[in-house]
Amino acid sequence: MAENSTTHFHQTNAGEPHAVRHVEILRKHPEINAFFGTDLRTAWITLAVVTVQLAIAGWISRVADGMGPGRRVGLLVGVAFFFGSILNHWAAMTVHECSHYLVFRRKVLNRWLALFANIPFIFPMAMSFIRYHVAHHARLGVLGEDTDLPHAREVHAIAANRIKKFFWVFLNFAFYSGRAFTFMKPLERWEVFNLVWQVA
């Protein structure tokens, strides 16, 4: 592994490490194979999580109606920080698990659960995430083709500046989302349906 002295980003030509580690771990601990496969509990928990999020939204709309602007913002920020962020994280992880078809055996059921988990996010993201996350795994570690790797522009803009790198990590969701636009292809049928689903 070599470090670029001007950027402090690490690069390696050793190849994709996950496949090698997969073989090593299973050789040492074959009992791990028992944990592979689908897990229906994810669907039940996601049903509860999304239901709670929608219930909280309904509750806030009723309670906040009689509040002043300051208290209303305080309530929204407080509930979003202490409850919404945790519940949204679960929903995002459901979409991730569905991208690997790890909830149901049938792919289409995983897609439907991902659409359901997408509801609290407002923006249609589930089907695009599934599409590009699979591509990320297929091209893991290939500069310019792996959607999770920073672009050369990001690396050179941030360089070895600790403050810039702090904000880059802190705002990684924004950089990640912006980077996604450079990989965009024409929308597929499921992505169009995701848009219609969210609008509905």
Side-chain angles (χ1 to χ4, degrees):
M1 187 174 285
E3 181 178 315
N4 183 323
S5 60
T6 60
T7 65
H8 291 189
F9 279 81
H10 298 278
Q11 261 185 290
T12 179
N13 294 319
E16 201 275 289
H18 292 81
V20 175
R21 289 287 295 141
H22 176 87
V23 172
E24 285 177 5
I25 290 169
L26 287 180
R27 190 181 299 126
K28 290 178 184 173
H29 302 282
E31 67 275 12
I32 290 175
N33 270 313
F35 295 104
F36 287 3
T38 58
D39 189 347
L40 282 174
R41 290 175 296 183
T42 304
W44 293 112
I45 296 169
T46 302
L47 176 64
V49 163
V50 173
T51 302
V52 167
Q53 284 180 295
L54 296 176
I56 289 172
W59 173 77
I60 286 177
S61 70
R62 287 191 304 277
V63 171
D65 210 24
M67 293 181 168
R71 289 185 65 204
R72 189 178 302 151
V73 169
L75 175 68
L76 287 171
V77 170
V79 171
F81 184 81
F82 289 106
F83 298 101
S85 59
I86 296 164
L87 297 173
N88 263 28
H89 185 70
W90 177 275
M93 290 304 97
T94 295
V95 173
H96 175 268
E97 295 303 281
C98 289
S99 76
H100 291 285
Y101 309 114
L102 292 174
V103 183
F104 301 102
R105 292 187 198 282
R106 292 181 57 204
K107 288 184 178 183
V108 70
L109 294 178
N110 285 281
R111 287 184 178 270
W112 278 106
L113 181 62
L115 286 167
F116 181 71
N118 191 168
I119 292 171
F121 286 92
I122 300 172
F123 299 105
M125 52 70 77
M127 295 302 108
S128 293
F129 180 87
I130 289 174
R131 179 183 185 187
Y132 292 104
H133 189 66
V134 169
H136 149 70
H137 278 281
R139 306 300 296 159
L140 201 61
V142 179
L143 287 172
E145 295 183 45
D146 181 351
T147 56
D148 276 16
L149 292 178
H151 275 308
R153 292 190 301 274
E154 291 174 70
V155 173
H156 292 294
I158 293 153
N161 185 303
R162 289 173 192 241
I163 294 171
K164 286 182 182 178
K165 193 167 279 189
F166 169 80
F167 283 106
W168 179 77
V169 171
F170 187 72
L171 298 170
N172 192 258
F173 68 93
F175 285 100
Y176 184 83
S177 300
R179 191 183 311 135
F181 287 105
T182 67
F183 290 94
M184 276 184 72
K185 298 179 177 111
L187 294 177
E188 291 182 341
R189 183 171 48 103
W190 277 100
E191 290 173 295
V192 173
F193 181 72
N194 195 172
L195 176 61
V196 173
W197 170 268
Q198 285 302 109
V199 169

